[in-house]
Structure formats: structure tokens, C-alpha cells
Amino acid sequence: MPVVTLTISSRNYSSWSLRGWLMMKLSGLPFEEVVVDPDDAAAREEILLLSPSILVPCLNYDGFRIWDTLAIGEFLNEAAPQAQILPQDRFSRARCRSICGELHSGFNSLRSALPMNLKGRFPKFKVWSKAQGDIARVTQIWRECLEAHGGPYLFGEFSMADAMYAPVATRFRTYDVPLDSLSQAYCDRIFAWPAMQEWIAQAQLEKEEIEELEVEF
């Protein structure tokens, strides 16, 4: 068996760590976690969107390092094909890659206005106008995929796309973002996924706080 580790940072704040970890759980491959302290300067810069590169999560597979989240998903799809991390149908697979790539490189206003904070709750939070456009685009993607593939997840079964968009669902809950009924039901299913519940439960136990992300602005 290969020796597999996944380096992550804060469970409460790090959206990229959550994405990589969910894909690892979906793959079914046994792995060990390596946790970087959120006070680590590089990890803190990434969480606060001050770093030009994202170096967590980092998958180490028998000594081979992969630190881009999309690359991790593609690698795991080949390493554990039975998990179907990407859809089998080539058109669905291309669409899955498209919406994952859109999230990977975009939605900067949403990230800035609604930073991930699983322990936080901000009822009736006023969302910046620029972020509203990102929210509308995300929910449009969700509705189109759910209607095209029949649910319960974006491409029927849980896939890389759901792992990529799961942190967005947490942002919508944390900041009390009103959603249409289809998008809200999808968020509820994401939160009900056992791996997601496991991550959230462990995030609640974290003692570290990043002050910049605990301010109601």
C-alpha cells in the first residue's frame, strides 16, 4: 500500500483544506493528516487571501507531492477510479471540470466578503453588492447541475464538484445568505454528508482563532 498523507491547516477557516480532505475521504484511500498550525505565517497568509499561491492542501503520495486542489482531484480520480471522483460520462466530466475551474480561479468578491468560519454565525449579515453577483452565479451553477443530473448532488453522486463547492455552502450558512429552495436543499445535503459532519465536529474543537476573521464588518 502507498504511504499517503494530506497536509491541511485550520479546519474552521481553511476552505482549500476542506476541499482536499473531502476528496480524500471520497477516494476511500487510507491517509494520514499533517496539520499546519494556523499561526504559521504561510498558512495565515493563505487563509487571509494574502498569498499569491495556495500550498494547502498538499497530497503526498509515496513521496510525490501534489499541492493544487484540482490536480489532487484529478490524481485521486486515477488512483481510485472506483470512487468516481469525476463523472464517468465525458460531457458530464467536462462540465464538472468547468465549474470546478471557475470556482478555483474566480468568485474573489465572495471569498473576501464571506470568509469561511464554521464556528461563526452572523444573522442578517449585510453582503457587499459585488459579492451578490458571485452568489447569484454559484446558485445558478447549482440549479443547472441539479436539474440536468437529477441530484441529489451536482452530478448525481457526490463528486469533486461537491467537494469544491462545499466550503461555499458553509459560507452561506455562516452569514445567513438567503437561498432559493433548490439551492438551500442542496446545502442541507452537503451538511448531512458524514464526512462533512466529521470535519465540522473537529472544527468546533479548534481553540485557535484568527482575529481578522472574527470581526463583524
Side-chain angles (χ1 to χ4, degrees), residues 2 11-12 16 21-23 41 45 56-57 63 69 80 85 102 108 111 148 176 180 191 212:
R11 291 181 183 271
N12 189 50
W16 293 106
W21 189 86
L22 287 176
M23 287 191 282
E45 284 185 353
V56 291
T69 311
I85 293 172
E102 185 173 351
N108 293 323
R111 298 183 205 278
D176 196 27
D180 62 87
F191 278 101
E212 295 93 325

Side-chain angles (χ1 to χ4, degrees), residues 2-16:
V3 177
V4 182
T5 64
L6 184 74
T7 301
I8 60 174
S9 58
S10 169
R11 291 181 183 271
N12 189 50
Y13 300 112
S14 178
S15 58
W16 293 106

Side-chain angles (χ1 to χ4, degrees), residues 156-181:
E157 299 299 323
F158 201 98
S159 70
M160 182 168 76
D162 302 291
M164 290 291 288
Y165 279 88
V168 180
T170 75
R171 289 172 159 100
F172 290 167
R173 175 175 286 190
T174 296
Y175 298 97
D176 196 27
V177 175
L179 300 173
D180 62 87
S181 58

Side-chain angles (χ1 to χ4, degrees), residues 6 16-25 57 69 72 76:
L6 184 74
W16 293 106
S17 293
L18 172 57
R19 292 179 175 109
W21 189 86
L22 287 176
M23 287 191 282
M24 285 300 307
K25 298 293 281 189
T69 311
I72 289 172
L76 292 175

Side-chain angles (χ1 to χ4, degrees), residues 92 95 141-151 153-156 182:
S92 297
R95 190 175 192 183
I141 289 171
W142 288 0
R143 289 193 303 271
E144 288 177 351
C145 288
L146 291 167
E147 290 167 358
H149 301 280
Y153 299 106
L154 295 179
F155 291 89
L182 192 60

Side-chain angles (χ1 to χ4, degrees), residues 9 18 27 43-44 47 49 52 71 81 92 100-101 107 118 127 132 136 145 151 157 176-178 187 196 200 212:
S9 58
L18 172 57
S27 76
R44 193 178 188 88
I47 292 170
L49 309 179
S92 297
C100 289
F107 301 122
L118 292 175
V127 179
Q132 292 287 1
C145 288
E157 299 299 323
D176 196 27
V177 175
C187 282
M196 191 71 176
I200 292 172
E212 295 93 325

